[in-house]
């Protein structure tokens, strides 16, 4: 709330206070994820990445698949923002695997795939329309490919 109101210092102190008060690793992972997004909105990409990495570490120490998916989702967003589509794709695929019904992660993965520069989306040479369908689903929509991948996991 404070972040949206432009009270960044107050938001920072509340994130820190929440971490001190709440000791469950999955809850702390969610706090770090939110804090990371807050840092990214402020334009502090390095801090956002540091916080998202900490969120992933905590999520991995818990059994909460949702927290795990959220951490990967944020790391994917940050990687895409930095132009690292291969890393973005890897994190977003992990997010979709951990939470297959999460539209946000699926949509973000579809965006990375649609950028056409991810590590597994380059059509074979001379493939034309047939290759496009193979990589992006029969109707050419990357989101369909995401859902197909998630269903097969």
């Amino acid at each position: 709330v404070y972040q949206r109101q432009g009270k960044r210092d107050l938001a920072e102190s509340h994130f820190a206070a929440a971490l001190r008060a709440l000791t469950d690793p999955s809850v702390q992972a969610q706090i770090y994820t939110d804090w990371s997004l807050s840092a990214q909105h402020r334009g502090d990409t390095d801090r956002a990445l540091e916080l998202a990495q900490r969120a992933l570490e905590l999520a991995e120490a818990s059994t909460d698949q949702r927290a795990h998916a959220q951490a990967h989702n944020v790391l994917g967003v940050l990687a895409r923002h930095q132009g690292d589509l291969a890393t973005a794709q890897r994190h977003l695929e992990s997010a979709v695997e951990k939470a297959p019904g999460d539209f946000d992660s699926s949509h973000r993965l579809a965006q990375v795939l649609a950028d056409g520069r991810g590590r597994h989306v380059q059509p074979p040479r001379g493939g034309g329309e047939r290759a496009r369908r193979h990589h992006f689903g029969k109707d050419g929509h990357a989101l369909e490919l995401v859902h197909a991948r998630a269903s097969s996991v």
Side-chain angles (χ1 to χ4, degrees):
V1 173
Y2 292 116
Q3 176 66 29
R4 283 184 235 136
Q5 294 174 348
K7 299 174 182 176
R8 293 182 177 104
D9 291 337
L10 195 53
E12 293 278 322
S13 68
H14 280 269
F15 283 125
L19 289 171
R20 286 189 301 273
L22 304 167
T23 59
D24 180 288
S26 65
V27 173
Q28 286 189 334
Q30 292 171 18
I31 293 167
Y32 274 108
T33 297
D34 290 344
W35 197 351
S36 174
L37 289 173
S38 176
Q40 192 228 4
H41 289 292
R42 285 192 324 271
D44 190 351
T45 305
D46 291 338
R47 179 76 171 140
L49 186 57
E50 175 187 316
L51 293 165
Q53 287 286 46
R54 182 66 181 135
L56 183 58
E57 291 167 9
L58 287 163
E60 288 173 342
S62 78
T63 58
D64 187 345
Q65 296 300 305
R66 182 76 181 135
H68 204 149
Q70 287 175 333
H72 276 294
N73 187 16
V74 170
L75 285 164
V77 168
L78 294 171
R80 184 171 187 245
H81 181 73
Q82 293 177 322
D84 185 351
L85 297 179
T87 299
Q89 181 177 342
R90 182 174 48 83
H91 280 296
L92 292 167
E93 284 175 345
S94 292
V96 169
E97 287 173 16
K98 299 292 181 185
D102 180 38
F103 177 78
D104 188 49
S105 295
S106 297
H107 179 72
R108 291 176 193 280
L109 178 55
Q111 289 174 325
V112 168
L113 294 173
D115 285 343
R117 297 176 299 190
R119 63 174 189 215
H120 292 298
V121 295
Q122 297 300 326
R125 288 189 182 153
E129 180 64 20
R130 187 174 172 187
R132 183 183 65 80
R133 278 192 219 151
H134 172 75
H135 286 281
F136 294 107
K138 67 180 182 176
D139 295 322
H141 299 288
L143 192 54
E144 289 180 14
L145 175 63
V146 170
H147 289 296
R149 283 186 180 175
S151 298
S152 68
V153 173

